[in-house]
């Protein structure tokens, strides 16, 4: 149970219906809303998000936690590292 709670996002950025790079720009703009070590989620249905969000995490040195499929698109969970 603690592991699940540790992965639960504190903030969700709603970007369904937006095309890349908008979901990533929205994520970058709102990342500061969660403390370091906490998880933020981005919901997106643009197919490019599946590769772009993990690539952004690697480039910015944040941790890509999981992709959670939704009815429309997915929720991408990212752990803020700094």
């Amino acid at each position: 149970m603690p592991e699940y709670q540790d992965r639960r996002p504190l903030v969700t950025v709603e970007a369904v219906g937006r095309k890349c790079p908008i979901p990533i720009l929205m994520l970058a703009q709102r990342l500061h809303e969660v403390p370091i070590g906490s998880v933020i989620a981005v919901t997106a249905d643009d197919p490019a998000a599946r590769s772009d969000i993990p690539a952004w995490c690697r480039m910015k040195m944040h941790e890509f936690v999981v992709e959670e499929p939704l009815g429309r698109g997915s929720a991408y969970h990212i752990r803020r590292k700094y």
Side-chain angles (χ1 to χ4, degrees):
M1 186 74 160
E3 181 181 327
Y4 172 76
Q5 289 178 340
D6 193 40
R7 292 172 37 163
R8 191 173 353 174
L10 297 179
V11 171
T12 299
V13 178
E14 301 289 345
V16 170
R18 308 286 185 104
K19 298 296 179 195
C20 279
I22 301 302
I24 290 173
L25 295 175
M26 293 172 72
L27 166 61
Q29 183 178 22
R30 298 195 53 198
L31 186 65
H32 73 279
E33 294 179 20
V34 301
I36 293 168
S38 295
V39 174
I40 187 170
V42 181
T43 60
D45 59 351
D46 182 352
R50 178 168 280 142
S51 59
D52 288 354
I53 292 173
W56 181 86
C57 291
R58 287 189 301 274
M59 183 176 74
K60 295 294 187 179
M61 300 192 321
H62 294 292
E63 178 188 347
F64 180 73
V65 178
V66 70
E67 175 185 352
E68 177 186 318
L70 302 173
R72 181 174 176 196
S74 293
Y76 300 90
H77 295 211
I78 297 100
R79 185 177 314 281
R80 181 181 173 192
K81 298 303 263 182
Y82 60 88

